[in-house]
Amino acid sequence: MGHVPVTQTSQSPTATDALSESAFLLAARGEPVPHTPVWFMRQAGRSLPEYRAIREGTTMLESCMRPDLVVEITLQPVRRYGVDAAIFFSDIVLPLKAVGVDLEIKPGVGPVVATPVRSAADLGPVRPVTPADVSYVTDSVKQLVSQLGGTPLIGFAGAPFTVASYLVEGGPSKDYAKTKAMMHGDPALWHALADRLADVAIAYLSVQIEAGASAIQLFDSWAGALSPRDYAEFVQPHSAKVFAALESYGVPRLHFGVNTGELLGLMSAAGADVVGVDWRVPLDEAVRRITADGSSPKPVQGNLDPALLFAGWSAIEPQLDRILAEGKAAPGHIFNLGHGVPPNTDPEVLLQVVQAVHAKSTRA
Ligand SMILES: Cc1c2[nH]c(c1CCC(=O)O)Cc1[nH]c(c(CCC(=O)O)c1C)Cc1[nH]c(c(CCC(=O)O)c1C)Cc1[nH]c(c(C)c1CCC(=O)O)C2
């Protein structure tokens, strides 16, 4: 797809400069930063009382389709924590719901699909969104970009493997047995499904970028269930298609999965500009793995173990120092957790983390 680079026509020149020079975008480009930027995966959500209040009586997927709620929920953690980026409030299964795939998000469980994909006939409903299917996404992103000013908005989508796992298993899974059985037992069906899901991600991310998102993150949360060999054969080409299709927009492309220590090099090579790292591999070691094939180092994101948020400040603080020191091995470091904010996290602890990372990393 040939794209014209996005220009933020709705923004004043000053706001556009502030955005482009924001700590998050500087770090994502591997340029010097005034301080290490911080945001948290799942920063909007159940850990915030103001989120629980506004979500009352509305299902997760309904909320994603209402710009008033999307805008407010996306801004809540920016206001409360002063994070360096906002992440769009949506879900990885929203673009499937928007084209009529019969699914819901069950509270405390996750996405549940009515008719799991078992044969080529089941692929029919799985098609990319058009902008008209998700006009509420365009509306929400535009409102957010104008309200956020110099704070970047991260758009996101689920990567083909992670979204396929919900479609094939019918819901959350521990072992991904049906997904792996399809890959190896019916590779033609697997590749047809993953290729469609690449197109789904491309279409959904393009809508967000064209509406003004400053960066995108492709979540392959569950790819860590795969061996490097299976990842390379069955997943990497499809994720690579997504990154390649978005390249001409010129926005940073982040890539993240849990338990992906053995896959960091392959996920980087898929075309990520910034590689997300969970807590299992230190950031300096992550840089070694990303560059092991001879490629240049690139910015990394991570990697505080979310469990540490419950350990008390005297346990957290030395970890921040360690992570900031190890992050210096990369040309850019975006501070984050190694996975999402747990629902029972004390918001005060997250505020303390943001302020401490900023204070410790501010250039004299
Ligand atoms: C695997 C995955 C999903 N969704 C997502 C992923 C990839 C990120 C990851 O690895 O955590 C991505 C996602 N989902 C949500 C966001 C919003 C932005 C943010 O990070 O703050 C993002 C980036 C909102 C949400 N998505 C969901 C919630 C909880 C809904 C609620 O409040 O009831 C939120 C805030 C639901 C959801 N949706 C999904 C799960 C596993 C769940 C949790 C189920 C539960 O424990 O209730 C699928």
Side-chain angles (χ1 to χ4, degrees), residues 31 189 264:
E31 293 172 23
L189 177 59
L264 290 171

Side-chain angles (χ1 to χ4, degrees), residues 39-46 51-52 55 58-60 64 73-74 77 87-93 105-111 156-158 162 166 172 217 219-222 256-258 339-340 343:
W39 69 281
F40 303 112
M41 293 183 275
R42 294 279 172 94
Q43 62 190 13
R46 283 170 297 177
Y51 170 82
R52 293 194 294 269
R55 272 287 321 281
T58 314
T59 68
M60 173 64 198
C64 296
I73 293 171
T74 302
I87 180 147
F88 187 60
F89 184 76
S90 184
D91 195 82
I92 58 168
V93 295
I105 295 182
K106 289 216 165 109
V109 177
F156 75 91
T162 291
Y166 288 103
Q217 179 154 319
F219 281 96
D220 211 352
S221 300
W222 314 136
F256 167 78
V258 188
H339 197 190

Side-chain angles (χ1 to χ4, degrees), residues 73-98:
I73 293 171
T74 302
L75 294 175
Q76 283 175 346
V78 179
R79 281 189 210 116
R80 191 188 260 264
Y81 303 129
V83 280
D84 294 273
I87 180 147
F88 187 60
F89 184 76
S90 184
D91 195 82
I92 58 168
V93 295
L94 188 274
L96 296 175
K97 179 78 176 178

Side-chain angles (χ1 to χ4, degrees), residues 265 286-295:
V287 173
R288 278 191 285 280
R289 295 182 186 194
I290 290 163
T291 55
D293 64 354
S295 57

